[in-house]
Amino acid sequence: MRHFVSLLALFVGLCIAAQARSATPLPAPDGQARSAPAPGSSRAGVSYDVTIHARDGAVIAFTVHEPLQMVGGKTYPLLMTGPGFGMPRVNSLMRELVAPPGTPLADTFTTKQYTDAGYVVVAFDQRGFGQSGGQVSIMDPDQDGDSLVRIVDWAEANLPYLMRRDGNLVLGTYGASYGGGFQLLLNNVDPRRRLDAMIPSITWNDLGYSLNPGAVPKSAYALALILAGEASSRLNSDPRVRDLAAHGLLDGRFTDADNAMLRYHSNRYFCDGVSQPGKRIATHPPKVDALFLQGMFDVIFNLNEGLDNAQCLRETGGDVRLIGYNVGHVLPSGTGLVIDGIGSPGDFSRCGPHVADAVSRTWFDAKLKRDPAAITALGRVPRNCITIASNGEGVVVDAVKVGGTKAMVPKTLVPSLSPLPLSVPLYRATAPTVVAGIPTATVVIANPLPLPGLPGGLPLGVGSDDAMIFVAIARSRQGLPSQLEILNDQVRPLRGFGTHVLELNGIGTKLAAGDQLHLLISASSLPQFPIEIARNPLLLAVSVSGSVQLPVLGNVATVR
């Protein structure tokens, strides 16, 4: 659901941000930085490693990548980048790494395109990974946030050649997944409010939604999370992270403490402005220019999360844009039978003509360098672009549509042990039609055989939350009504008897005349939600009914 922030919370947050620029003094230079050349001379830029310490004594390791050519007396914008979960930073040996053309996420794991263009890049190891110490806590505002602020403090104190504007450091950030999460956290916790522009790719707004949608744990990713974290962090994950994964896998549900932790480790905590007891006070994120790159096929951080982040940051007046493309955390739904065309590798990273790595470079050149040519080029990048096909074709919209054309779902009996999904027709296109945005739904899950005299009419031993179903929007092509493809592999679980009013996962597709959209309803969903089923053998089936509102845009122009 869309976020609301009170005017009072927003006003207080902005006042705190304004006062915070005069925070405690920066640390003194520590001698680890390389000296800039004297005015009038130059030298080739180099890369070198630095270690500092967090508040709890943990090592923070990062690499400073100087621009290709260091000119005495010249100043350079600073970019900060962090890797994905369990991945290493771009270190000195990787300075010249160049990804093959069309490589997905190429803009997030190379520094060369930026150092060659005159940026200083600081690439760091996330807390608990690589050469950085501490426990892996999944972007804890107090632990990871402390490390992030200290890195920026070090750079500002030790690199006198960094660009400043109006007395403030000129700073940008980029990275994907976990490397996107750090950017939102830094923007929220830096007391000096130094971040000017960011590019978070395929990242989250609310980890509670990401890992536990509809109160059903994403068990595939809970398992991957703990295995990757333990293997990459020398068995050094925060016990709360291990407990969370165990609850999802063994109990099939997260505890209230799990959900509170996930919320605190999310941008939504700050966007909503609702503080938790004993935690830092949630103030609305400060103004920042943000380019969100979100994967349409991403089954852990979907389009909804990118839109929620974008809407939150737009509330403070920043230039915020959202591009949905075909890169992401991909784990097929296991049900799709139709392939939506085959695109080239370069098509994965674009929405129409807007290619991620090129747009990223333009973004920073315009926002940090204020280069006139880049500013002009950025004027052609839309506010929102949603990819609707695997070949990179997209649709440009001023506002992402939420809900729309209503279709009824008649009562449908869903057997609890059946692995096969049931199909309910929703919409048939009579002309070429684009469907792109966030579907919404009202779903009623009921007991199909109520027993008189028993609470809720349920069999003894059956609880109200034992019911569990999985729903998805699927497409069939004209002439192939039985071959269904789940759009963008997006599956949404629901748990518990009663009425559920919710947003389904974001989708994008282009229908030809005669193509249809269906609601698939199933009792299980492999491989995204392994072992997540209704575990009570007394619950043989549930009844499902309600309505779905589809973001039908019509026969609108698309971009290639």
Side-chain angles (χ1 to χ4, degrees), residues 80-379:
M80 183 174 171
T81 184
F85 193 81
M87 302 298 291
R89 73 184 189 270
V90 180
N91 59 26
S92 303
L93 298 177
M94 301 166 69
R95 177 185 174 95
E96 297 300 316
L97 176 68
V98 177
T103 302
L105 297 177
D107 55 310
T108 67
F109 59 78
T110 177
T111 63
K112 184 174 174 58
Q113 70 164 331
Y114 295 118
T115 54
D116 284 1
Y119 290 91
V120 179
V121 179
V122 169
F124 68 95
D125 277 334
Q126 304 276 12
R127 181 179 172 88
F129 293 119
Q131 294 178 309
S132 287
Q135 293 183 324
V136 177
S137 55
I138 318 184
M139 223 49 72
D140 180 271
D142 304 312
Q143 296 178 349
D144 297 88
D146 169 69
S147 296
L148 297 171
V149 171
R150 286 173 184 254
I151 294 172
V152 182
D153 284 350
W154 182 92
E156 187 169 7
N158 287 269
L159 306 177
Y161 51 79
L162 294 180
M163 182 181 292
R164 303 180 70 85
R165 184 175 294 122
D166 300 326
N168 298 312
L169 184 69
V170 176
L171 173 65
T173 55
Y174 67 95
S177 189
Y178 207 56
F182 95 82
Q183 303 175 58
L184 296 164
L185 177 57
L186 176 62
N187 189 53
N188 286 319
V189 303
D190 180 15
R192 299 176 188 276
R193 306 306 195 207
R194 286 168 289 195
L195 190 51
D196 299 294
M198 64 165 80
I199 307 179
S201 304
I202 57 172
T203 198
W204 69 89
N205 169 263
D206 179 7
L207 280 175
Y209 170 80
S210 309
L211 298 177
N212 194 36
V216 178
K218 282 184 179 172
S219 46
Y221 275 103
L223 179 61
L225 180 73
I226 192 66
L227 292 179
E230 293 297 296
S232 304
S233 65
R234 305 172 296 280
L235 302 179
N236 198 31
S237 290
D238 187 315
R240 296 174 300 169
V241 177
R242 289 196 292 266
D243 289 346
L244 180 143
H247 296 157
L249 292 170
L250 300 179
D251 301 336
R253 66 191 72 223
F254 288 161
T255 66
D256 291 343
D258 293 335
N259 289 318
M261 181 190 73
L262 293 173
R263 173 64 61 84
Y264 186 52
H265 295 202
S266 300
N267 195 40
R268 183 178 174 185
Y269 176 82
F270 297 91
C271 293
D272 283 359
V274 180
S275 301
Q276 294 179 4
K279 300 298 184 182
R280 86 169 50 229
I281 297 174
T283 57
H284 194 276
K287 179 179 178 180
V288 65
D289 293 336
L291 172 64
F292 289 100
L293 305 174
Q294 208 74 19
M296 296 299 297
F297 283 85
D298 197 311
V299 299
I300 183 170
F301 306 138
N302 57 32
L303 179 67
N304 306 48
E305 303 229 51
L307 180 58
D308 283 344
N309 278 328
Q311 291 188 331
C312 170
L313 295 189
R314 282 170 178 161
E315 290 174 357
T316 48
D319 181 1
V320 180
R321 311 193 197 188
L322 173 64
I323 293 181
Y325 57 4
N326 290 323
V327 175
H329 305 83
V330 177
L331 191 62
S333 60
T335 307
L337 300 176
V338 180
I339 298 177
D340 183 23
I342 300 296
S344 67
D347 292 333
F348 297 146
S349 299
R350 70 183 182 90
C351 184
H354 310 293
V355 182
D357 53 357
V359 173
S360 298
R361 168 70 187 282
T362 299
W363 184 259
F364 287 134
D365 284 352
K367 299 299 181 180
L368 303 184
K369 291 185 175 181
R370 296 186 176 175
D371 177 76
I375 293 173
T376 298
L378 194 59

Side-chain angles (χ1 to χ4, degrees), residues 314 383-384 396-400:
R314 282 170 178 161
R383 177 180 171 89
N384 302 291
V396 170
V397 292
D398 182 62
V400 176

Side-chain angles (χ1 to χ4, degrees), residues 416-417 466-468 470 495 523 531-537 539 542:
S416 296
L417 299 180
D466 281 326
M468 186 185 302
F470 300 83
R495 184 176 211 152
I531 73 173
E532 302 301 340
I533 57 174
R535 301 184 183 186
N536 194 325
L539 185 62
V542 296

